[in-house]
Amino acid sequence: MDTNGHTTNGNGHNGPAALAIAEPPHYALLKEKIAILKHERDAIILAHNYQEGAIQDVADFVGDSLGLAQKAQRTPAKVIVFCGVHFMAETAAMLCPDKTVLIPDTAAGCSLADMVIPAQIRAWRREHPDGMVVCYVNTSAAVKAECDYCVTSTNGVKVVEQIPADKEILFVPDYYLGSYLKAKTKRNIHLWKGYCPAHAAILPEQVDELREAHPDAEFLMHPECGCTTKQMHLADQILSTEGMVQHVKRSTNAEFIVATENGLLHRLRTQYPEKRFYPASEYATCHHMQRNTLEKVFLSLVKMQCVVTVDPKIAERAVVPIQRMLDIW
Ligand code: CIZ
């Protein structure tokens, strides 16, 4: 049964019930122990919208990377268990140097972030000495250290619009978000060819089928979707994960097709149990996000393990584009 109380697999089709797996029985006890440990350690748990449901349930705050970074900055807690992927925990560590930031699994990386390295940015700058480099938040601290501005999918348009109109811009690493920003801002943006494998699993044909099966559903699409170029004109809304949550809150619609990583469905279904959500693809899952489990959250608090740190020399430069984004947003 899904969190809406529906007995389908949640996507309105027959097929693997991958999105409605019941929690293992020991999770109830683990959740209790995590609550006690959090108190003992003076810790806060921050969970990204793409984390599995059980982790979202024990979190003090669930949100997108921007919301989590801001929460990390404001919390009086000494320890932050950052349930997300490594670049997000790095951002929290850089913004909160006086706190201990833990990640449940250090191998929780980001395939998209790995698609650009610092030397490639330096090479572009040599060829475009007056250009500006804008990076998506899905980049390592070492890459951010080479960039002028950082953006999330929530604030990308606003940040790019602040850059003088005559500047050439390189946007890294997501090609599809970059295309979206280029279309929206009409700026001279060079696009890197990176992509998110989870969003690439969302195929135009599947979206067409779902739209036919649920003609009254609003189609919400994340700008990282690989099908952006073909489907963009069809989307009712192109939104970040936080944008989707806020849009559903305002919308009078009862049904939504959601084209992003499927972890978001847990938050949507928990917050809006009266509405129905159909994942655009049951395969849109991030294997890195899934490396974090409730057991590993528990262990990180027991052993205070997997501390995330950033070389201070890199951090000093990498916070500049992040802070510029936070100042604009
Ligand atoms: O900024 C984030 O958290 C990511 C990676 C996606 C989104 O839209 O929330």
Side-chain angles (χ1 to χ4, degrees), residues 48 50 64-65 88 136-138 152-153 222 224 240-242:
H48 191 265
Y50 294 157
D64 65 356
S65 59
M88 298 176 182
Y136 190 23
V137 69
N138 295 42
T152 69
S153 39
H222 194 277
E224 274 179 52
S240 66
T241 56
E242 203 51 43

Short mmCIF file of all heavy atoms in Angstrom, two decimals, residues 48 50 64-65 88 136-138 152-153 222 224 240-242, ligand 1:
data_model
loop_
_atom_site.label_atom_id
_atom_site.label_comp_id
_atom_site.label_asym_id
_atom_site.label_seq_id
_atom_site.Cartn_x
_atom_site.Cartn_y
_atom_site.Cartn_z
N HIS A 48 17.49 15.37 2.04
CA HIS A 48 17.12 15.90 0.74
C HIS A 48 15.80 15.26 0.29
O HIS A 48 15.46 14.15 0.69
CB HIS A 48 18.23 15.59 -0.30
CG HIS A 48 18.02 16.32 -1.58
ND1 HIS A 48 17.36 15.75 -2.66
CD2 HIS A 48 18.33 17.59 -1.95
CE1 HIS A 48 17.31 16.65 -3.64
NE2 HIS A 48 17.89 17.76 -3.24
N TYR A 50 15.12 13.79 -2.23
CA TYR A 50 15.27 12.53 -2.96
C TYR A 50 15.61 11.35 -2.05
O TYR A 50 15.85 10.25 -2.54
CB TYR A 50 16.37 12.66 -4.02
CG TYR A 50 16.10 13.63 -5.16
CD1 TYR A 50 17.14 14.19 -5.89
CD2 TYR A 50 14.80 13.97 -5.53
CE1 TYR A 50 16.91 15.06 -6.95
CE2 TYR A 50 14.57 14.86 -6.58
CZ TYR A 50 15.62 15.39 -7.28
OH TYR A 50 15.40 16.25 -8.33
N ASP A 64 15.21 20.95 -0.56
CA ASP A 64 16.18 20.90 -1.66
C ASP A 64 17.54 21.37 -1.12
O ASP A 64 17.65 21.77 0.05
CB ASP A 64 15.71 21.73 -2.86
CG ASP A 64 15.63 23.22 -2.57
OD1 ASP A 64 15.87 23.64 -1.43
OD2 ASP A 64 15.32 23.98 -3.51
N SER A 65 18.55 21.35 -1.97
CA SER A 65 19.90 21.62 -1.45
C SER A 65 20.01 23.04 -0.91
O SER A 65 20.70 23.28 0.08
CB SER A 65 20.94 21.36 -2.53
OG SER A 65 20.69 22.17 -3.64
N MET A 88 26.35 18.18 -1.49
CA MET A 88 25.43 18.92 -0.62
C MET A 88 26.01 19.02 0.79
O MET A 88 25.94 20.07 1.44
CB MET A 88 24.07 18.22 -0.56
CG MET A 88 23.37 18.12 -1.89
SD MET A 88 21.83 17.18 -1.73
CE MET A 88 21.29 17.20 -3.44
N TYR A 136 26.01 24.74 -11.54
CA TYR A 136 24.87 24.18 -10.83
C TYR A 136 25.40 23.74 -9.47
O TYR A 136 26.59 23.39 -9.33
CB TYR A 136 24.38 22.96 -11.64
CG TYR A 136 23.06 22.36 -11.23
CD1 TYR A 136 22.10 23.08 -10.53
CD2 TYR A 136 22.76 21.05 -11.58
CE1 TYR A 136 20.88 22.50 -10.19
CE2 TYR A 136 21.55 20.46 -11.25
CZ TYR A 136 20.62 21.19 -10.54
OH TYR A 136 19.43 20.62 -10.22
N VAL A 137 24.51 23.72 -8.48
CA VAL A 137 24.93 23.30 -7.14
C VAL A 137 25.48 21.87 -7.16
O VAL A 137 26.31 21.50 -6.32
CB VAL A 137 23.73 23.50 -6.17
CG1 VAL A 137 22.63 22.52 -6.45
CG2 VAL A 137 24.16 23.48 -4.73
N ASN A 138 25.07 21.08 -8.15
CA ASN A 138 25.58 19.71 -8.30
C ASN A 138 26.99 19.71 -8.86
O ASN A 138 27.25 19.29 -9.99
CB ASN A 138 24.68 18.90 -9.26
CG ASN A 138 23.28 18.71 -8.74
OD1 ASN A 138 22.68 19.63 -8.20
ND2 ASN A 138 22.75 17.51 -8.90
N THR A 152 20.92 26.96 -8.05
CA THR A 152 20.15 25.72 -7.93
C THR A 152 19.08 25.78 -9.01
O THR A 152 18.93 26.81 -9.69
CB THR A 152 19.45 25.62 -6.56
OG1 THR A 152 18.42 26.60 -6.50
CG2 THR A 152 20.43 25.81 -5.42
N SER A 153 18.29 24.72 -9.12
CA SER A 153 17.24 24.77 -10.15
C SER A 153 16.12 25.72 -9.73
O SER A 153 15.31 26.12 -10.54
CB SER A 153 16.71 23.37 -10.44
OG SER A 153 16.61 22.62 -9.28
N HIS A 222 11.03 18.53 -13.94
CA HIS A 222 12.27 19.12 -13.42
C HIS A 222 13.15 19.53 -14.61
O HIS A 222 13.24 18.78 -15.59
CB HIS A 222 13.00 18.10 -12.54
CG HIS A 222 14.08 18.72 -11.72
ND1 HIS A 222 15.34 18.96 -12.22
CD2 HIS A 222 14.09 19.17 -10.45
CE1 HIS A 222 16.07 19.53 -11.28
NE2 HIS A 222 15.33 19.66 -10.19
N GLU A 224 16.21 19.26 -15.06
CA GLU A 224 17.29 18.30 -15.34
C GLU A 224 16.82 17.18 -16.27
O GLU A 224 17.63 16.34 -16.67
CB GLU A 224 17.78 17.64 -14.05
CG GLU A 224 18.83 18.39 -13.30
CD GLU A 224 19.22 17.65 -12.02
OE1 GLU A 224 19.53 16.46 -12.07
OE2 GLU A 224 19.19 18.30 -10.96
N SER A 240 11.81 23.20 -9.86
CA SER A 240 12.74 22.47 -8.98
C SER A 240 11.90 21.60 -8.05
O SER A 240 10.67 21.73 -8.01
CB SER A 240 13.53 23.48 -8.15
OG SER A 240 12.64 24.16 -7.28
N THR A 241 12.55 20.76 -7.25
CA THR A 241 11.77 19.91 -6.34
C THR A 241 10.97 20.78 -5.36
O THR A 241 9.79 20.53 -5.11
CB THR A 241 12.67 18.94 -5.55
OG1 THR A 241 13.67 19.68 -4.85
CG2 THR A 241 13.32 17.94 -6.47
N GLU A 242 11.61 21.82 -4.81
CA GLU A 242 10.90 22.67 -3.85
C GLU A 242 9.78 23.43 -4.57
O GLU A 242 8.69 23.61 -4.01
CB GLU A 242 11.89 23.65 -3.21
CG GLU A 242 11.48 24.18 -1.87
CD GLU A 242 11.08 23.10 -0.87
OE1 GLU A 242 11.76 22.06 -0.77
OE2 GLU A 242 10.06 23.30 -0.18
O1 CIZ B 1 18.89 21.65 -5.64
C1 CIZ B 1 18.57 20.49 -5.44
O2 CIZ B 1 18.35 20.06 -4.34
C2 CIZ B 1 18.47 19.58 -6.57
C3 CIZ B 1 19.67 18.85 -6.92
C4 CIZ B 1 17.35 19.49 -7.24
C5 CIZ B 1 16.12 20.22 -6.89
O3 CIZ B 1 15.43 20.68 -7.78
O4 CIZ B 1 15.80 20.34 -5.72
#
